[in-house]
């Protein structure tokens, strides 16, 4: 292992011993981990809070085998130690600042990350903004734009348009020449979706499928990024144009679709797919990172797209950050600050 400076042997990290409400989260002093082959140790300045963290804390989304069991899937910070090199993996330089997709453990002063999951820290971003990128950009990019970029004018319906995922998806669809439609549950959240470039639909006051039919002159959308699952399955199928694709990334409305007209899949040649980022292996995550670096990071650097930050909390207040996300009044991202220089 090579290090940039003398590292402490212990660090503060957010831990929980049993699943439950936000107040199960507490700070503990634990050993600073040492990077293995192909890994780097990052001194964390800021860490993103994501809905999957809430699910994990509740015991509903166990980490995959071998992953760090502590919370935190994205960080920004300084590389302070390198593990042994691994074939085919480029290690970031010691002392460089990166944002990274973590395999857990981001809510801490130090976090181990596979080197291939590090991305450059975009110029002019502070730590809070840099930490807000990995989880949503890896998820949206891999589900909507890989293996092929969406053709220009593709119509994309994004559920949860004001979420961390939604604000990223709307901006990426717009940046690549698509037409974005987004659902949100309040007038203010719809305003944000409109500001970001989507045609907004208040799913609490309108039937989104009827609204999509009107807005698209009955042509439907080509792709749907869905985080609701069962409760929306039939209406999602109804919204899709021939050869359309439904991509399910979460099941907030249940895993079972009680009633769905499957004939639509055949008659319109629809594709139904989905994925979870955390379960992908490191090689797959590294390929997404490479694609993002080449095709998306230039758009962050030139200001075409940006993360939308709602609120920050110090690391010690992770429980309050989780409560804020569960209250559901946020627009965009909630971030934990670990370092006083984060902003
Ligand atoms: N598969 C993956 O790899 C992956 C990775 C990351 C995240 N995710 C999932 O993506 C979703 C967003 O994550 P996040 O971290 O960005 O969380 P978040 O900011 O808390 O977003 C949750 C969103 O769900 C929306 N929502 C809830 N019920 C809805 C409904 N009936 N119709 C439309 N929207 C509804 C909420 O919208 P309103 O507030 O307007 O109701 C809110 O915007 C989560 O479900 C998360 O589990 C999946």
């Amino acid at each position: 292992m090579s290090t940039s400076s003398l590292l402490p042997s212990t660090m503060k990290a957010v831990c929980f011993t049993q699943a439950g409400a936000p107040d199960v989260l507490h700070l503990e002093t634990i050993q600073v981990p040492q990077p293995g082959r192909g890994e780097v140790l990052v001194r964390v300045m800021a860490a993103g809070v994501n809905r999957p963290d809430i699910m994990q804390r509740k015991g509903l989304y166990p980490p995959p085998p071998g992953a760090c069991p502590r919370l935190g899937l994205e960080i920004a910070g300084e590389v302070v130690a390198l593990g042994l090199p691994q074939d085919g993996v480029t290690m970031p330089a010691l002392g460089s600042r990166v944002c990274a997709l973590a395999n857990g453990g981001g809510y801490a002063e130090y976090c181990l990350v596979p080197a291939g999951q590090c991305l450059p820290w975009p110029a002019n971003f502070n730590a809070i903004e840099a930490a807000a990128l990995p989880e949503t950009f890896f998820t949206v990019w891999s589900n909507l734009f890989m293996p092929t970029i969406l053709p220009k004018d593709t119509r994309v319906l994004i559920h949860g348009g004001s979420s961390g995922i939604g604000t990223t998806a709307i901006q990426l669809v717009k940046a690549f020449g698509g037409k974005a439609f987004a659902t949100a549950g309040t007038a203010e959240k719809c305003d944000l979706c409109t500001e970001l470039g989507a045609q907004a639909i208040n799913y609490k006051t309108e039937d989104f499928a009827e609204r999509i039919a009107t807005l698209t002159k009955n042509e439907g959308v080509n792709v749907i990024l869905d985080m609701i699952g069962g409760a929306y399955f039939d209406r999602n199928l109804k919204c899709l144009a021939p050869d359309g694709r439904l991509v399910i990334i979460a099941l907030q409305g249940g895993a079972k679709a009680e009633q769905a007209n499957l004939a639509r899949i055949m008659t319109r040649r629809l594709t139904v797919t989905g994925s979870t980022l955390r379960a992908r292996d490191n090689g797959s995550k590294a390929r997404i990172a490479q694609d993002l670096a080449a095709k998306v990071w230039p758009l962050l650097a030139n200001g075409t797209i940006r993360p939308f930050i709602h609120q920050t909390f110090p690391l010690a207040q992770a429980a309050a950050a989780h409560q804020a996300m569960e209250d559901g009044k946020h627009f965009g991202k909630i971030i934990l600050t670990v370092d006083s220089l984060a902003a």
Side-chain angles (χ1 to χ4, degrees):
M1 177 176 91
S2 43
T3 60
S4 61
S5 57
L6 200 58
L7 293 174
S9 60
T10 62
M11 65 174 187
K12 296 263 192 298
V14 173
C15 298
F16 67 108
T17 42
Q18 64 182 64
D23 62 5
V24 298
L25 302 180
H26 58 273
L27 271 189
E28 276 186 28
T29 301
I30 61 172
Q31 290 294 116
V32 172
Q34 295 208 348
R37 191 174 288 282
E39 287 183 326
V40 302
L41 181 69
V42 177
R43 183 175 65 79
V44 180
M45 297 177 185
V49 175
N50 292 283
R51 183 69 52 171
D53 305 343
I54 309 285
M55 309 273 294
Q56 184 180 340
R57 194 207 71 226
K58 289 180 170 175
L60 303 173
Y61 192 46
C68 174
R70 286 181 285 105
L71 294 176
L73 299 172
E74 61 184 351
I75 54 167
E78 180 189 350
V79 175
V80 292
L82 303 177
L84 291 170
Q86 187 176 22
D87 280 351
V89 175
T90 307
M91 303 297 262
L94 265 183
S96 61
R97 289 187 164 197
V98 294
C99 49
L101 184 77
N103 294 340
Y107 293 11
E109 290 177 313
Y110 292 87
C111 179
L112 283 183
V113 183
Q117 292 169 213
C118 294
L119 276 155
W121 179 306
N124 303 323
F125 274 41
N126 62 29
I128 293 164
E129 294 160 333
L133 301 172
E135 179 72 9
T136 66
F137 279 80
F138 274 71
T139 300
V140 174
W141 189 254
S142 58
N143 280 291
L144 292 188
F145 293 90
M146 289 176 78
T148 49
I149 302 277
L150 294 176
K152 205 170 170 304
D153 292 329
T154 300
R155 297 183 296 277
V156 184
L157 169 60
I158 296 148
H159 288 302
S162 70
S163 64
I165 291 281
T167 50
T168 298
I170 293 172
Q171 292 186 82
L172 281 173
V173 166
K174 293 293 295 177
F176 284 86
K179 292 195 165 77
F181 302 83
T183 58
T186 67
E188 292 74 21
K189 289 184 175 189
C190 283
D191 287 347
L192 171 66
C193 296
T194 307
E195 196 185 304
L196 292 174
Q199 298 204 52
I201 302 168
N202 185 331
Y203 72 85
K204 289 193 177 151
T205 59
E206 313 176 273
D207 180 307
F208 75 83
E210 285 175 14
R211 194 79 188 108
I212 285 292
T214 308
L215 290 171
T216 63
K217 300 189 174 52
N218 290 320
E219 288 192 9
V221 292
N222 309 105
V223 182
I224 301 177
L225 185 66
D226 176 54
M227 53 179 77
I228 306 306
Y232 276 6
F233 189 66
D234 192 48
R235 277 187 286 163
N236 278 336
L237 296 183
K238 204 168 160 189
C239 287
L240 282 167
D243 298 306
R245 179 163 60 109
L246 168 60
V247 187
I248 301 173
I249 60 163
L251 302 167
Q252 295 184 75
K256 298 210 169 124
E258 299 298 341
Q259 288 187 331
N261 182 355
L262 302 184
R264 292 190 178 111
I265 296 177
M266 293 190 295
T267 56
R268 293 193 219 151
R269 302 174 301 278
L270 305 180
T271 302
V272 178
T273 182
S275 73
T276 61
L277 181 60
R278 201 165 186 196
R280 289 183 189 257
D281 62 27
N282 293 353
S284 164
K285 290 174 182 171
R287 282 190 291 282
I288 300 170
Q290 284 160 14
D291 218 41
L292 282 169
K295 294 169 186 156
V296 177
W297 256 230
L299 302 176
L300 293 164
N302 71 19
T304 305
I305 47 182
R306 66 191 173 98
F308 202 90
I309 311 295
H310 178 76
Q311 197 174 0
T312 65
F313 293 85
L315 181 67
Q317 291 173 25
H322 273 217
Q323 189 60 59
M325 180 165 270
E326 287 189 62
D327 289 346
K329 297 194 181 84
H330 61 290
F331 300 62
K333 298 286 296 185
I334 295 173
I335 303 291
L336 298 173
T337 52
V338 185
D339 180 305
S340 56
L341 300 176

